[in-house]
Amino acid sequence: FAEPPTPEVLTSYLAADPNTRQGPTVIKIGSVVDSRGLASRDMTNVPVILGCVFNPSKVGIRSLTLFEMGALRDVPILFLDHLRLRGGVQGRALLKLLIEGHPSKVLFLGGDYLLTAYVRGGGAMACGAMASPRAESSGTDVLSRWIDLERSGFEEVPEDTFVEQEVAKMESERSEWNKDDDSPIHFYIWDEMFLRSWRDAQGGRSVGDGWNKPCDPVIILPCKDSRDCALSDAQLMVKMTLPRWRWALMKMRAGLLRYWRRKMTRDLIAYLRKELGQRSERPSCWVHALRKRKKVLGQNITVLYYVWTKEGRVNYCKSWQRARAVRGRDDVESTWQVGSDCIRRTANSLWWDWAEGSALLFWRWPTSHVKWAREGQPHFLSGPLPSFKRPQRAAPTPEMMTQMQKKVNKVRKRRYIEEGRVVSLTHMFAVPKGLADIRMVYNGTSSGLNAVLFAPHFGLPTLFNTIRALLGYYQCDLDVAEMFLCFNLHPDMRPYAGVDVRLIKTEVRSKQELWEVNRTRSYQRWSRNFMGMRDSPYRSMQMMLMAKHLAYGDRFDPSNPFRWERVILNLPGSKGYNPSLPWVMKVRSDGHLACEIFVYVDDGRITGWSKLECWRAAQRLSSVLTSLGIQDAYRKRTPPTRGPECAYPWVGGVSLTCWKDNVDPRKEVRGVAISVTAVKWAKMQELVEELSVMIGRAAEEMDRGRLEEIRGFLIYTARTYRWMNPYLKGLHLTIDGWRPDRDEDGYRIRPTAGSKKVTSDVEEEDDVGSFRANEAAIRRAEKDMEAGKEVDLKVFQVKNTDAKAEEVNPPVTVKAVPRLAGDIRMLQEFLEGNEPAIQRCRVSNVAVAVYLMGDASGVGFGSALWDSAGVDYEAGNWKEQWKFESSNFREAANLTTRIEKLGEEGRLNDVELFVFTDNSSYEGTFYKGHSKTSPKLTELIRRLRMVERRYGCILHVIHIAGSRMKVSGVDGLSRGDFLEGIMAGMNPWEAIPLNEGANDRTQGRVEEWVRAWWSDQEGTPWTQVGRDSTRYESTQLIKLNPEDWFRLRDIRGHRLWIPPPAAMETIVEVFNEDRIVYPHLAHVFVVPRLMTHLWRKQLFKDADVVFYVKAGAPFWPSSMHEPLTVIIVLPFAHVENYRGPWIVKHTPSAREFNRLMDFEFGKPRERKRKEFLDMEEPMPSLWENDHRWARDFLFEFLKSQSKFPPVQSGLVRGMLPSLRDGPFSHPKQNGRGRRRRKRFRVSGKEG
C-alpha cells in the first residue's frame, strides 16, 4: 500500500472470492507495483497485509522487515540466512546496501559471466568480513575487529535523531547513581536500552513519528491489588506525561507479570504430576477408557453398564501405582509445602521487586540440584551441635532498638525467620552506620555453632580476572538482592539457628500487623542462610555459580549473547604473540570476544563488545536468575559503560579500557588497566600517613585495634594494587608479634628448616582472591564511603583463624617490628599524587613484547634482550667492590640495572617485559616485596616497582632452571662466551616454553604416566566403587583442551589439567568455580614449575596431594629442565552422621605421602635409578622397570583414600543417574552403544 487502506478497502478485498482475485495478493494503489509486477525501489514505509492470528479478521497491517525487503530484492536465500544468523550489525548494514542497489539477481548474473563460474546462493566465502562459523581464526582477527570498532567510535548502528532526543529526555530524569538498599530504581535504563534494541532489530531504521505522540496525562496510583503493579517506586503516586512508546511499555510489563505468575504455577503443577505420581488425566478422559454395554434381563428390562477397555484399565492401574509409590517418600510433604510457599511469593511479587521475599523455584533447577534448591544443602559438621539459650540483649539506646526492630521484622515478615522447634539460639546486635542508621550483625559464633561447622575453601575472581574479557569493551554490574537469604537452610540445621524475638516482636496485639498475629512463639528460627554462619558463603555461592552456568546456555545458539565458537591462546613465547590482546580468549564467530560473567558473592560484572550486547547479556543473566527464584537487585543495576568518567567500582577497584594520560590530560590512552576511586585513594593516603605518625610517636606502644582496622582496609585495596600486598607484611608481623611462637622480627618460629620450607608456599596472612567472612559488610561499607558517609573501619578487620587466639587474650598495644618502618615508607612513595594510580594490565601498543634474560658469575655479568626485531646482548666485568657481594645480589643488580637503562632509553614505554632469571630469591622478592636477609635486594625491588610506575610498563619476573640458562647461552656471557645458544642463532622462542604444556613438550608421555597410576594393570580406575562395569562419571578421567576449560558443565568425568604455564591464571579462575559447583569430582594438575606466581598459591589451598618430579624421569627427561608440579585434588561430598575430617589435605597420611614422593623423585641417584636425558630415549613400560614404584605408590595411596568417607561419598555421588542424566557408554562403543540397564544403587539419602 502507498498509504494505509481504509476499512472499506480492506473489507472489499477480504470479501472477494480468492479464486477471482487477479494477480498476486496485493492491492495496487499508486505506483507501488508497476505494470510488469515489479515492486518499486523504496518499499521501506509501505504498509502490507499479512496473516495475524491475534486479530478476529486473521489479517494485520505492518511494514516490511529488513530481511523481507532483502527477499523482495532477490538477495540469495543462503546469503540472507547467513546474514540473519551470523552477520550481526554489520550484516544488517550490508543487507541495507544491497537493498538500495540493483536487484541481486542482476548482480549475480553479471558476476557469473565475468568470473565464468556459476556460483549460486553463496556469499560467505566471497565476503572477507563475514567469515564462516567454523573458519579458522587467530588473534589477528580479534585485533582487526577491535581496530574497526575504534574507527567507528563503538557505534553499532547509525545515529537516529528521535532515539537521541528520547535518550536526552531520560538523561534529565537520572538521579545520582548509588547502590544503597533504599535507592530508587533507575527504570529509565531499561527504557533506553529497549529503544536502542528495537532500533537495532530494525537494522537502524528510524522508529517514526508515531512513537513520540504524547498520551493524555495520567495519574499513576497503586491499584487495589498492588501485585498487578508493574511500576517502580519512583513512578508510584506521580503524575506523568509519557510518550506513547513508554506508556505502551509500561502496559506490556503489567501483562507480562501476570503471564509469568501463571506460567510458574502451571510449571509447578506439571512437575507435581510428573514427579509425585499425581494423575495427570482430566476426569473426562476416563470416559474414553470405558465402553458402554447393554444387557437384557427380561421382557422390556434393559440395563446399561460400562466395562473397561484394555488400554483404559492399564492406564487406570498405572495412575494408582504412581500415587501409592510416593506415599512413603519423605520429600512429598516438603515438596507440597515449599511449592505452595513459592507460588505465594510469586503471586505477591511486583515487576521490580519480590514484595514478599523470594524462594528458589526448585522445579526449574537441574535434576542434580532440585533437592538442594528445595531443602538446602547438607552441612559439614565437625562436632556435636550446641544447645545455647542465653537471652538476646537489647540495643544500647531506645533509638537503636527501634531501628533494630524495623530491620529484623522485615526479615520476619518475609518468613526468612519462621516458627518451629528451637534447640539452640544465635545472637544479633546492631552497629552504627553513619549518623542515623544501623547495620545488623547476626552472630553464629557466640552460640558455638560456627565452631562445629566446616566450610571448604573456595576462591573468588578478582578484578584482574575480568581483563581477559576486555578489549575496550563495555561493562555493567548486576547485583543479587538478599544474597544469602535467597537460599534455604537445611531442615536439620534450623533448630540450632534459633532467634530470641521477645524484644523484637510487637507485644500489643492490637498494634500487630496481619502477618504477625499468629506468630506468638518467643523463640523462632532461621529458615535461610544468614550472614554470620560460617558456611553460608560457601553454600550460597555453590547455588549461585550453578545459576551462572545455566545462564551461559548453548554456546552455538546465534540468539545467545554468551555464544562463542573457539578459544584462542595468545600466550607469551608463542609465535605472533600480541601483548595488546588477552592471553586466553573466547572468540565468537564474528571475531569479537564473547560476553562474560564474573560473580563475586552478590556482585556480578558483565562484559560485552558493544553497549547493546553487554546489556543483552545482563538481561539474560537476570532472566535466568529470576526464573530460578534468585532476586535481581534492579535498583543497583548500572548501564553499560566504558569510559573512565563513568566507570563503576567492582571488588574494590575500577577497571578501565580507556583513560586520560597522566602527562597530557587531553590525550586518551587505550588499553586495559585497573585503579580505585578518588575517595578510596584519599582514604589510603590518610591511613598510611596515620601509620607514619603512630610509629613516629610511640613505636613501642601502638594501638593494636586501630592497626587491625587499617590493615583490613589496605588488604581490601590490595585486591586492585598487587604491589601493595608485599608491603603489608610489616603490619601482619606487628599485629601478631606478641605471640609466644614469634621471634624478635615477628616471624613465626619453626621447629625445623624442613617444616618451614613445606609451609612457606601456602601460609600467607591474607589471600586477596579468597572470601572473607565479613565480605557483605565490607561491600556495604565501601558503598557508604563512595557516597561520602562516615564509615567504621572495624568491618574491614581480618578475623584471625589461629586457634590460640581464642585461648589467649591479645594485648591492647603492640611493639612495631623492624620491618614496619620500611614498609610504611614504601607505601608513602607509591601513594604519592592526587590522582589514583593506574596499574596497567595490558599494553596498548601492538606487538611490543620484550624478553630479557640475565646472569652473573664471580667476575662478570651478561644479559640478552630479544623481541620481534632481533637479539641484543651485552656483557662486562664487576668492579672490585662488587666481588664481595653475594651471587644472588649480583644477578639481581645486573637485571635491575639493565631494566633501568632500558627505561631511560625510552624502550619500556607502554611495553610488556618478561624477565627470566635462575635466581629464585630475585623472583620471590619481586612478588613478596621484601627480603628478610638482604636489605639491598629489597631496595632493588623498590627500584623495579618504580620503573613500572614511571614508564607505564608491565614487568613479569620468571624463575627458570640454571640448566636452561646454560642452554640459552646467557650463562656464558658472564664468562665472555658469545657463540652459544641464542647468540649462536638459536631460536629464542624455544628457550622458554611458556606457551607449551607438559604433555605437548613430551609428546604425550605425561598423560600416559598419569593414566598409568590412575588405573591398575587391568584398567580398573581407583575411583571404581563396586563391581558395576558401567562407565559412570566418577570412573572417567578426561584430559581437558582449551575449549573444555569454558564448558566444564558438559564434561562428565574427573578433570586432567595439563595446560601451558602462561594460561594458569585463567585455569585457576575456572577451577575455583568448578570445584565449588561439582566437589564430587577429582582434579589432577601437571604443570612445569614456571610462572608459579600465577597459580601455585591458589591451587595449594585446595590441593590434597602436592609433589615435584625432578627432570630426569622417563616421562620428564632432563631436557625439560624445570621440575614438574603434580597436584591432586580429591573429591568429597556430604556423609550423614560423620563428624570429620572432611578433606584429605591435613591428614597424617597425606603429609607423609607428600614427603615420600618429594624424596623419591627429588633424589633418583640415591635410589640408583637411571636418569633420562632427552626425548630421544624411548619411554620404558611403567610396569616393568625401576620406575614402577611411582605407579604403585600413587595408585595404592589413591585406592586407600577411596575408603575415606567424604571421598567415597563423592565417588558414589558421581554414579547417581540423577546427577548427570545417567551413565556413560563404554569407550569401545565410541559413545554410540546401547547403555546398560544395570545401575549402581545406593541406600540412604543423596550426599
Side-chain angles (χ1 to χ4, degrees):
F1 296 99
E3 59 186 13
T6 62
E8 293 77 11
V9 174
L10 267 180
T11 304
S12 61
Y13 175 78
L14 296 174
D17 186 2
N19 298 324
T20 62
R21 293 176 187 168
Q22 300 296 327
T25 56
V26 176
I27 303 177
K28 301 179 181 180
I29 300 177
S31 60
V32 176
V33 180
D34 60 16
S35 59
R36 296 170 297 176
L38 300 178
S40 63
R41 181 169 187 149
D42 187 12
M43 294 280 290
T44 305
N45 298 317
V46 177
V48 297
I49 297 176
L50 72 161
C52 180
V53 298
F54 299 103
N55 288 342
S57 62
K58 302 303 179 183
V59 296
I61 302 174
R62 66 165 171 80
S63 58
L64 294 174
T65 66
L66 188 64
F67 293 100
E68 290 172 342
M69 287 288 296
L72 190 65
R73 301 293 292 179
D74 288 334
V75 176
I77 297 175
L78 295 180
F79 189 47
L80 202 63
D81 291 341
H82 175 80
L83 294 179
R84 182 188 296 110
L85 298 177
R86 301 284 185 175
V89 176
Q90 288 192 351
R92 294 189 181 96
L94 176 60
L95 181 58
K96 191 174 182 180
L97 293 176
L98 291 175
I99 293 172
E100 294 174 353
H102 294 283
S104 298
K105 286 184 179 179
V106 176
L107 299 178
F108 266 75
L109 180 62
D112 284 344
Y113 282 97
L114 290 175
L115 301 176
T116 68
Y118 298 90
V119 182
R120 305 288 185 182
M125 300 301 295
C127 182
M130 298 297 169
S132 62
R134 291 294 180 181
E136 293 295 328
S137 181
S138 63
T140 306
D141 300 328
V142 179
L143 182 63
S144 63
R145 297 291 292 170
W146 160 239
I147 295 174
D148 292 341
L149 279 177
E150 282 189 311
R151 291 174 179 173
S152 63
F154 286 85
E155 288 298 329
E156 305 92 280
V157 292
E159 294 292 336
D160 183 83
T161 304
F162 167 74
V163 173
E164 299 308 319
Q165 289 177 352
E166 288 297 301
V167 171
K169 293 177 183 178
M170 290 185 286
E171 286 281 353
S172 62
E173 302 177 14
R174 296 193 177 188
S175 58
E176 183 179 356
W177 176 88
N178 61 73
K179 286 191 173 185
D180 291 343
D181 294 335
D182 55 352
S183 62
I185 296 175
H186 307 279
F187 57 89
Y188 52 80
I189 300 176
W190 282 262
D191 293 352
E192 173 189 344
M193 299 311 298
F194 170 81
L195 192 61
R196 294 185 182 276
S197 299
W198 191 92
R199 183 187 60 168
D200 177 70
Q202 299 299 316
R205 292 189 302 163
S206 176
V207 295
D209 297 334
W211 279 57
N212 202 26
K213 293 181 180 178
C215 59
D216 297 333
V218 294
I219 300 177
I220 303 176
L221 298 174
C223 54
K224 295 181 180 180
D225 188 359
S226 61
R227 296 173 302 174
D228 292 333
C229 180
L231 307 174
S232 71
D233 46 8
Q235 291 175 307
L236 294 174
M237 303 291 293
V238 176
K239 183 176 181 179
M240 297 180 299
T241 303
L242 296 176
R244 178 173 295 182
W245 69 272
R246 294 188 70 182
W247 176 84
L249 191 60
M250 180 184 66
K251 294 296 184 181
M252 287 172 57
R253 288 169 179 159
L256 291 174
L257 179 62
R258 299 186 187 98
Y259 168 78
W260 179 75
R261 293 176 186 147
R262 183 168 61 251
K263 178 173 173 49
M264 294 301 103
T265 305
R266 291 179 175 178
D267 288 350
L268 175 61
I269 294 173
Y271 172 83
L272 295 175
R273 288 172 174 170
K274 177 181 177 182
E275 297 297 328
L276 300 187
Q278 303 301 309
R279 292 194 296 270
S280 59
E281 300 86 353
R282 297 178 181 177
S284 58
C285 72
W286 293 110
V287 177
H288 301 285
L290 301 174
R291 184 174 301 165
K292 184 187 294 186
R293 295 289 180 86
K294 294 182 180 179
K295 185 176 183 180
V296 180
L297 299 180
Q299 188 176 4
N300 298 328
I301 301 177
T302 304
V303 178
L304 298 177
Y305 66 100
Y306 294 88
V307 296
W308 285 107
T309 63
K310 183 177 180 180
E311 182 180 359
R313 179 181 291 276
V314 172
N315 292 336
Y316 178 79
C317 294
K318 286 182 177 180
S319 66
W320 278 107
Q321 289 173 1
R322 289 195 298 266
R324 294 190 183 99
V326 300
R327 289 180 180 176
R329 284 171 51 180
D330 298 335
D331 60 340
V332 174
E333 184 177 356
S334 64
T335 300
W336 280 103
Q337 292 179 352
V338 178
S340 60
D341 181 62
C342 293
I343 297 303
R344 179 187 64 83
R345 296 177 187 273
T346 302
N348 288 282
S349 63
L350 307 179
W351 180 264
W352 300 103
D353 186 27
W354 294 74
E356 297 293 330
S358 65
L360 295 185
L361 309 180
F362 58 89
W363 61 91
R364 300 184 65 85
W365 284 76
T367 306
S368 58
H369 286 64
V370 167
K371 186 175 182 180
W372 285 0
R374 184 180 63 238
E375 302 176 2
Q377 307 101 300
H379 297 261
F380 301 96
L381 301 179
S382 58
L385 290 167
S387 178
F388 181 82
K389 292 294 183 67
R390 185 178 299 173
Q392 171 67 42
R393 292 183 179 181
T397 63
E399 293 79 10
M400 291 184 67
M401 194 66 217
T402 302
Q403 293 175 320
M404 186 174 174
Q405 291 174 342
K406 180 180 178 181
K407 290 183 176 292
V408 177
N409 280 332
K410 179 181 178 181
V411 179
R412 294 178 59 219
K413 181 179 179 179
R414 296 194 169 194
R415 299 190 184 182
Y416 299 151
I417 297 179
E418 62 179 13
E419 290 199 335
R421 186 174 71 95
V422 175
V423 177
S424 181
L425 295 175
T426 59
H427 283 171
M428 54 188 169
F429 56 91
V431 295
K433 176 184 176 182
L435 300 178
D437 198 3
I438 64 170
R439 177 178 293 112
M440 290 303 304
V441 178
Y442 302 105
N443 186 7
T445 303
S446 59
S447 65
L449 179 62
N450 285 342
V452 298
L453 290 177
F454 170 76
H457 167 267
F458 65 95
L460 291 171
T462 64
L463 207 58
F464 287 90
N465 295 123
T466 65
I467 65 176
R468 69 170 176 82
L470 293 177
L471 195 66
Y473 288 177
Y474 286 82
Q475 307 171 73
C476 70
D477 293 347
L478 183 151
D479 285 22
V480 176
E482 299 179 340
M483 170 65 181
F484 293 169
L485 298 177
C486 286
F487 306 101
N488 291 322
L489 192 65
H490 195 271
D492 294 343
M493 183 58 61
R494 295 179 186 181
Y496 301 92
V499 180
D500 185 358
V501 297
R502 286 177 292 185
L503 300 176
I504 303 298
K505 66 179 183 179
T506 307
E507 294 293 344
V508 181
R509 190 173 182 84
S510 59
K511 296 182 179 181
Q512 290 180 345
E513 296 185 32
L514 183 61
W515 64 269
E516 197 177 9
V517 171
N518 296 325
R519 302 176 67 174
T520 59
R521 294 189 180 184
S522 300
Y523 291 168
Q524 298 179 10
R525 65 185 191 181
W526 286 99
S527 62
R528 304 293 180 92
N529 296 339
F530 62 94
M531 191 61 187
M533 190 171 66
R534 184 178 183 182
D535 60 351
S536 287
Y538 176 83
R539 292 158 46 81
S540 302
M541 282 298 297
Q542 194 171 42
M543 301 297 287
M544 182 62 194
L545 290 178
M546 170 53 72
K548 170 190 170 180
H549 292 174
L550 295 176
Y552 278 135
D554 181 7
R555 69 186 183 98
F556 293 111
D557 184 1
S559 63
N560 183 8
F562 295 109
R563 65 186 180 276
W564 59 278
E565 188 177 62
R566 58 194 177 274
V567 174
I568 298 177
L569 300 183
N570 174 50
L571 302 179
S574 60
K575 186 177 181 180
Y577 168 64
N578 192 327
S580 64
L581 296 177
W583 289 4
V584 180
M585 297 178 284
K586 288 167 58 179
V587 183
R588 310 189 331 170
S589 60
D590 56 8
H592 291 298
L593 297 184
C595 297
E596 193 56 88
I597 308 172
F598 300 93
V599 177
Y600 189 92
V601 195
D602 61 337
D603 289 352
R605 169 61 59 92
I606 297 95
T607 63
W609 72 270
S610 69
K611 179 179 290 187
L612 277 180
E613 201 68 13
C614 183
W615 181 257
R616 288 166 183 158
Q619 286 297 92
R620 174 171 174 82
L621 175 61
S622 174
S623 63
V624 171
L625 293 180
T626 303
S627 68
L628 297 175
I630 302 175
Q631 300 184 43
D632 180 2
Y634 295 106
R635 66 185 70 253
K636 300 180 182 181
R637 180 78 67 87
T638 64
T641 57
R642 56 179 296 269
E645 67 280 355
C646 52
Y648 299 106
W650 188 76
V651 193
V654 177
S655 56
L656 305 173
T657 54
C658 62
W659 61 91
K660 303 299 181 182
D661 187 81
N662 292 333
V663 179
D664 185 5
R666 296 172 299 177
K667 180 181 178 182
E668 190 177 71
V669 181
R670 295 194 182 277
V672 178
I674 59 175
S675 184
V676 296
T677 59
V679 174
K680 192 173 295 182
W681 180 259
K683 190 66 175 180
M684 293 164 60
Q685 293 176 323
E686 175 188 338
L687 294 180
V688 172
E689 187 62 29
E690 182 180 347
L691 284 175
S692 179
V693 173
M694 290 175 65
I695 195 172
R697 183 177 53 197
E700 299 289 332
E701 296 181 351
M702 302 184 72
D703 186 348
R704 185 176 184 273
R706 183 57 180 171
L707 289 180
E708 286 185 336
E709 295 174 2
I710 296 175
R711 177 181 67 170
F713 183 80
L714 294 181
I715 286 176
Y716 190 69
T717 58
R719 293 172 172 175
T720 303
Y721 297 121
R722 286 180 172 176
W723 47 261
M724 277 189 61
N725 200 45
Y727 302 106
L728 301 181
K729 184 74 173 181
L731 267 176
H732 299 317
L733 299 178
T734 299
I735 292 173
D736 291 324
W738 58 273
R739 300 184 184 279
D741 60 343
R742 304 296 178 113
D743 60 17
E744 59 182 8
D745 294 327
Y747 291 93
R748 192 186 300 271
I749 300 174
R750 308 288 181 177
T752 61
S755 61
K756 178 179 179 180
K757 183 177 181 180
V758 171
T759 58
S760 62
D761 289 332
V762 297
E763 286 197 4
E764 295 290 342
E765 282 71 14
D766 185 74
D767 180 11
V768 297
S770 297
F771 181 83
R772 289 165 62 177
N774 53 343
E775 192 70 38
I778 290 176
R779 302 291 293 121
R780 289 193 294 266
E782 182 185 18
K783 297 166 188 174
D784 294 342
M785 183 184 299
E786 298 296 338
K789 301 178 181 179
E790 189 67 25
V791 174
D792 187 359
L793 294 184
K794 290 183 179 180
V795 299
F796 290 95
Q797 289 185 7
V798 180
K799 303 300 181 182
N800 200 312
T801 58
D802 194 343
K804 297 182 180 180
E806 299 181 0
E807 302 175 3
V808 182
N809 294 324
V812 178
T813 61
V814 292
K815 176 183 177 181
V817 298
R819 172 176 173 167
L820 181 59
D823 285 347
I824 293 176
R825 287 193 298 270
M826 289 293 299
L827 291 174
Q828 287 177 321
E829 186 173 359
F830 283 123
L831 293 175
E832 289 180 351
N834 297 326
E835 296 295 327
I838 294 177
Q839 179 165 335
R840 300 295 293 269
C841 300
R842 195 183 308 139
V843 298
S844 58
N845 289 339
V846 178
V848 181
V850 182
Y851 300 81
L852 174 65
M853 184 181 296
D855 193 23
S857 63
V859 296
F861 61 88
S863 61
L865 182 78
W866 73 91
D867 55 16
S868 57
V871 179
D872 180 16
Y873 60 91
E874 66 178 24
N877 294 327
W878 296 111
K879 294 183 178 180
E880 188 66 25
Q881 62 268 24
W882 284 89
K883 295 182 180 180
F884 299 99
E885 299 290 348
S886 66
S887 60
N888 284 344
F889 177 72
R890 287 199 299 268
E891 292 179 6
N894 172 37
L895 287 170
T896 303
T897 304
R898 183 71 187 276
I899 293 171
E900 289 178 327
K901 183 179 177 181
L902 291 172
E904 294 170 359
E905 295 172 353
R907 300 178 63 179
L908 293 184
N909 295 329
D910 198 17
V911 166
E912 187 173 25
L913 176 63
F914 294 86
V915 182
F916 301 100
T917 175
D918 60 354
N919 184 352
S920 59
S921 299
Y922 188 59
E923 181 199 43
T925 306
F926 179 79
Y927 294 109
K928 291 182 179 179
H930 184 274
S931 173
K932 181 180 178 181
T933 59
S934 177
K936 294 182 179 180
L937 185 56
T938 302
E939 174 61 19
L940 291 178
I941 299 304
R942 184 197 67 82
R943 289 161 53 185
L944 275 184
R945 292 297 185 182
M946 293 307 298
V947 168
E948 277 189 307
R949 292 284 304 277
R950 188 177 298 116
Y951 301 109
C953 62
I954 302 174
L955 294 182
H956 304 276
V957 178
I958 302 171
H959 173 255
I960 61 176
S963 58
R964 184 179 297 279
M965 188 72 71
K966 295 177 183 178
V967 172
S968 66
V970 178
D971 182 77
L973 290 176
S974 61
R975 300 173 177 85
D977 192 346
F978 305 132
L979 298 176
E980 291 185 1
I982 297 175
M983 280 61 65
M986 174 185 175
N987 187 354
W989 311 109
E990 297 177 358
I992 312 295
L994 302 179
N995 60 315
E996 297 181 6
N999 206 47
D1000 297 331
R1001 291 170 58 185
T1002 60
Q1003 303 172 10
R1005 290 187 178 186
V1006 169
E1007 181 182 359
E1008 181 181 350
W1009 172 71
V1010 173
R1011 295 192 181 279
W1013 51 258
W1014 185 265
S1015 305
D1016 59 16
Q1017 196 164 3
E1018 287 74 26
T1020 303
W1022 69 271
T1023 55
Q1024 182 72 52
V1025 179
R1027 299 181 179 179
D1028 191 354
S1029 60
T1030 306
R1031 307 293 286 181
Y1032 289 98
E1033 177 185 30
S1034 64
T1035 63
Q1036 306 295 302
L1037 181 63
I1038 309 296
K1039 179 182 176 296
L1040 303 176
N1041 57 48
E1043 287 194 359
D1044 294 334
W1045 301 346
F1046 299 101
R1047 60 181 196 92
L1048 290 173
R1049 180 172 175 265
D1050 301 324
I1051 304 298
R1052 301 183 175 184
H1054 302 289
R1055 287 72 160 99
L1056 174 58
W1057 305 82
I1058 318 181
M1064 282 302 295
E1065 187 172 29
T1066 301
I1067 296 299
V1068 171
E1069 175 200 339
V1070 296
F1071 161 75
N1072 285 336
E1073 292 189 357
D1074 189 62
R1075 177 62 173 171
I1076 188 174
V1077 178
Y1078 304 113
H1080 65 282
L1081 296 177
H1083 299 259
V1084 179
F1085 292 87
V1086 187
V1087 189
R1089 199 191 62 185
L1090 290 169
M1091 304 188 77
T1092 55
H1093 64 283
L1094 297 177
W1095 53 271
R1096 184 167 59 183
K1097 179 180 176 182
Q1098 283 285 343
L1099 285 184
F1100 280 16
K1101 291 180 177 293
D1102 292 289
D1104 293 296
V1105 176
V1106 178
F1107 62 90
Y1108 295 96
V1109 178
K1110 185 178 179 180
F1115 56 89
W1116 191 249
S1118 299
S1119 58
M1120 300 295 106
H1121 303 293
E1122 290 81 20
L1124 196 62
T1125 309
V1126 181
I1127 301 173
I1128 303 176
V1129 183
L1130 296 175
F1132 82 98
H1134 182 261
V1135 183
E1136 289 193 11
N1137 302 321
Y1138 180 74
R1139 296 296 181 265
W1142 289 98
I1143 57 177
V1144 179
K1145 177 180 180 179
H1146 299 299
T1147 60
S1149 61
R1151 289 195 294 264
E1152 178 61 22
F1153 180 78
N1154 290 338
R1155 185 198 65 79
L1156 176 64
M1157 296 301 291
D1158 280 333
F1159 177 77
E1160 294 287 346
F1161 274 115
K1163 299 180 180 180
R1165 294 183 181 179
E1166 294 185 7
R1167 297 296 184 181
K1168 298 181 180 181
R1169 299 193 183 99
K1170 178 183 176 181
E1171 182 176 355
F1172 291 78
L1173 300 179
D1174 52 40
M1175 295 298 298
E1176 299 298 328
E1177 298 187 59
M1179 180 176 176
S1181 173
L1182 293 175
W1183 304 97
E1184 299 173 357
N1185 67 359
D1186 56 356
H1187 283 269
R1188 180 174 178 174
W1189 64 270
R1191 190 217 66 81
D1192 292 337
F1193 281 8
L1194 281 163
F1195 180 80
E1196 292 303 326
F1197 173 78
L1198 296 176
K1199 188 66 176 178
S1200 65
Q1201 297 307 314
S1202 66
K1203 298 180 176 58
F1204 186 66
V1207 175
Q1208 185 180 35
S1209 179
L1211 299 178
V1212 170
R1213 181 169 171 79
M1215 291 187 175
L1216 295 176
S1218 62
L1219 184 67
R1220 294 278 187 159
D1221 302 325
F1224 285 99
S1225 302
H1226 196 276
K1228 293 182 179 180
Q1229 299 170 350
N1230 298 323
R1232 302 175 182 269
R1234 183 177 180 180
R1235 294 181 177 178
R1236 301 174 183 267
R1237 294 186 176 181
K1238 187 176 180 180
R1239 296 292 190 270
F1240 187 86
R1241 299 185 178 274
V1242 181
S1243 60
K1245 296 182 180 179
E1246 180 181 338

